[in-house]
């Protein structure tokens, strides 16, 4: 779906997803509920990465999500920190994004190999075979 469009459009989509998720998480969860806020961001990154974007875009979206998560959902006023918990959150978002992207790519590859050949006019339908790409 997204693999044929320019990378800039996919990056913009990832940025919009991250900003909307950060705004939603900050509105619905209290500042003390850090785990819930990070979980919502991880779910959004996973969903966007599984949509069929390139692996580099999924990785960039995870890094943008980490910036927003650390700066606005965990700390206040956009202050970034680089402690152990922050780097663990970065690792979580990267693993979620790349894992979802790899699973979606594998699923699309398997689905592409299972396409059936449709008979043309005048062909014998009993001779249909499974087409392997």
């Amino acid at each position: 779906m997204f693999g044929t469009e320019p990378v800039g459009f996919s990056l913009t989509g990832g940025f919009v997803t991250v900003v909307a998720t950060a705004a939603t998480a900050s509105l619905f969860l209290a500042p003390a509920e850090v785990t819930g806020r990070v979980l919502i961001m991880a779910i959004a990154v996973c969903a966007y990465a599984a949509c069929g974007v390139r692996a580099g875009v999924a990785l960039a979206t995870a890094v943008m999500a980490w910036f927003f998560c650390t700066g606005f959902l965990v700390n206040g006023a956009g202050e970034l920190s680089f402690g152990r918990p922050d780097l663990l959150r970065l690792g979580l978002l990267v693993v979620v994004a790349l894992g979802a992207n790899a699973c979606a790519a594998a699923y699309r590859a398997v689905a592409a190999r299972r396409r059936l050949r449709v008979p043309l006019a005048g062909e014998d339908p009993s001779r249909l075979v499974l087409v392997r790409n």
Side-chain angles (χ1 to χ4, degrees):
M1 179 174 148
F2 291 101
T4 59
E5 68 184 21
V7 174
F9 290 149
S10 297
L11 284 173
T12 303
F15 181 77
V16 169
T17 300
V18 166
V19 170
T21 303
T24 303
S26 66
L27 286 174
F28 289 113
L29 295 173
E33 298 180 79
V34 173
T35 305
R37 289 175 163 207
V38 172
L39 181 63
I40 288 174
M41 187 64 79
I43 290 170
V45 167
C46 179
Y48 188 74
C51 284
V53 295
R54 294 179 175 103
V57 173
L59 180 63
T61 302
V63 172
M64 286 187 285
W66 178 74
F67 286 142
F68 275 83
C69 194
T70 301
F72 296 109
L73 298 180
V74 175
N75 300 328
E79 179 183 328
L80 293 177
S81 56
F82 297 98
R84 181 180 172 95
D86 302 312
L87 297 177
L88 287 174
R89 279 189 289 274
L90 174 63
L92 168 76
L93 292 169
V94 166
V95 166
V96 163
L98 294 180
N101 189 265
C103 287
Y107 178 77
R108 284 190 309 275
V110 168
R113 280 182 280 178
R114 292 188 177 171
R115 292 192 183 125
L116 292 178
R117 185 175 171 275
V118 178
L120 299 174
E123 283 187 326
D124 183 16
S126 64
R127 301 187 74 201
L128 286 180
V129 293
L130 186 64
V131 176
R132 301 259 182 209
N133 292 342

